[in-house]
Amino acid sequence: TGVLFETASRLVKNPVIITLLLSLIWSATGLGLSDWIVRLVSLPGDSAAPVGLFAVGMSLSRVKIKGVRLVAFTAMTLKLMVLPVFVYLIFNELMHFNERAVVIATLVACMPTGIAVYGFAQQYQIGVKSTAATILLGTIVSAFTLTVALSLLN
């Protein structure tokens, strides 16, 4: 329970988690943002994705998968091949969502592991190498798995 408590307390203090929670609370109030605030944050906000992708590319360019191949391959296989099947079965067969929702949920499940996981791994120094290798392999393989999923879902 000590590890669980420590992890929970770190998550509660994480600026990304705090920002997400505050944004959800603000959104729930129904209050908007004034135009000048929107203009103020839109320039850095619009550049965040390209700069982030560049930073991720630089960070992952040094990744060596030697020594973590089995862990990375297993995590990637579960994420890109097993999870989408489970999501499809749950959304389609168990919960009977409409076709559009099933397709969207399944395609989201087909996406590779996100870079936020790598940020958490680095921050807490847990599984950094295997996480980076999983993201690298998953991003490469997802080009194939997303193509297959799109073909099967059409």
Side-chain angles (χ1 to χ4, degrees):
T1 60
V3 172
L4 185 61
F5 178 75
E6 183 180 340
T7 303
S9 66
R10 283 184 177 181
L11 283 174
V12 170
K13 296 173 188 172
N14 185 298
V16 174
I17 302 295
I18 293 169
T19 304
L20 286 171
L21 290 174
L22 289 174
S23 298
L24 286 171
I25 292 167
W26 185 265
S27 179
T29 67
L31 299 172
L33 294 173
S34 62
D35 289 339
W36 70 269
I37 293 175
V38 173
R39 284 193 306 272
L40 179 70
V41 297
S42 56
L43 183 61
D46 291 344
S47 66
V51 170
L53 288 172
F54 181 77
V56 168
M58 293 296 291
S59 178
L60 293 178
S61 68
R62 299 181 305 243
V63 171
K64 304 280 189 265
I65 62 172
K66 187 176 182 178
V68 292
R69 286 184 195 144
L70 182 61
V71 171
F73 184 77
T74 302
M76 179 209 53
T77 302
L78 289 170
K79 173 67 178 92
L80 296 180
M81 297 174 197
V82 177
L83 180 63
V85 171
F86 276 116
V87 168
Y88 177 82
L89 291 173
I90 289 169
F91 272 66
N92 193 48
E93 303 299 326
L94 186 65
M95 300 178 81
H96 305 291
F97 276 90
N98 65 48
E99 183 180 349
R100 183 177 185 187
V102 172
V103 168
I104 291 170
T106 305
L107 289 176
V108 168
C110 288
M111 297 302 229
T113 303
I115 197 64
V117 177
Y118 180 66
F120 283 121
Q122 269 192 321
Q123 182 176 355
Y124 301 118
Q125 290 300 301
I126 299 170
V128 176
K129 193 173 177 184
S130 59
T131 301
T134 300
I135 292 169
L136 179 66
L137 288 173
T139 302
I140 293 166
V141 173
S142 69
F144 171 73
T145 57
L146 276 166
T147 303
V148 170
L150 281 168
S151 299
L152 292 174
L153 291 169
N154 260 343

